[in-house]
Amino acid sequence: MKSLAIEREYGSGGREIGISVAKKAGIPYYDTNLLVRAAKEYELNIGELQEYDEKKTDDLLWSILTTPLNAEDADRSELCKMRDGMKATIKKLAGEGPAVFIGRCSTEILIYHPDVVRTYIYSSSITKKLTEL
C-alpha cells in the first residue's frame, strides 16, 4: 500500500478527504499533529510552529521552504530549523509505512519517495463561500 500526500486549497475539504481515506484504509494520518512531533523530536518551539502554521497566506513549509541555509548550524535561523524539523519528521514517518499526509508541503518533501501518491485538492468559488459561512 502507498502513502498519500495531499496539498489543498482553503475550503476544498482536503483535510476531511484525507482523514476519511486514512480511516477507511486503516492507516495513520498526519496533519497538525506533525507540528507537535517535529517540535518534540527536534526541540523546536511549538508556539512558533503554530504561529507560522496558522497564517492563511501560505502553508507552513511553503513559506519557509526556500529560506536560504547559512553555512554554520549555530547561525541558522529558527525558520530553517523549523523547516528542517518538519521535513525530517515527514520523511521519517513516510519511511515507517503507509500514511496520509495533509499539507505542510508533504507533496514536495515526498516528491521522490517511490511509495507516495501526491495530489492537490481544490474547490470552486461557491464551495469556498459556503465554507466561509
Side-chain angles (χ1 to χ4, degrees), residues 3-21:
S3 289
L4 175 63
I6 299 173
E7 293 299 332
R8 76 266 188 231
E9 188 174 42
Y10 176 76
S12 67
R15 174 175 286 120
E16 293 79 12
I17 292 168
I19 291 169
S20 178
V21 167

Side-chain angles (χ1 to χ4, degrees), residues 48-117:
E48 288 181 16
L49 277 172
Q50 289 173 329
E51 178 184 330
Y52 287 107
D53 190 54
E54 290 172 3
K55 292 183 179 181
K56 291 195 179 207
T57 55
D58 289 317
D59 186 275
L60 167 67
L61 286 179
W62 188 252
S63 64
I64 60 177
L65 192 61
T66 57
T67 303
L69 294 174
N70 294 330
E72 299 290 328
D73 186 55
D75 295 334
R76 292 175 53 208
S77 72
E78 284 300 308
L79 288 177
C80 291
K81 290 177 186 176
M82 283 189 264
R83 177 201 55 208
D84 292 349
M86 288 297 295
K87 282 176 65 174
T89 301
I90 290 169
K91 286 181 175 185
K92 178 181 176 187
L93 292 170
E96 291 177 0
V100 175
F101 298 91
I102 303 170
R104 277 121 201 121
C105 271
S106 58
T107 58
E108 292 303 312
I109 292 168
L110 300 173
I111 194 167
Y112 298 112
H113 196 292
D115 294 322
V116 176
V117 175

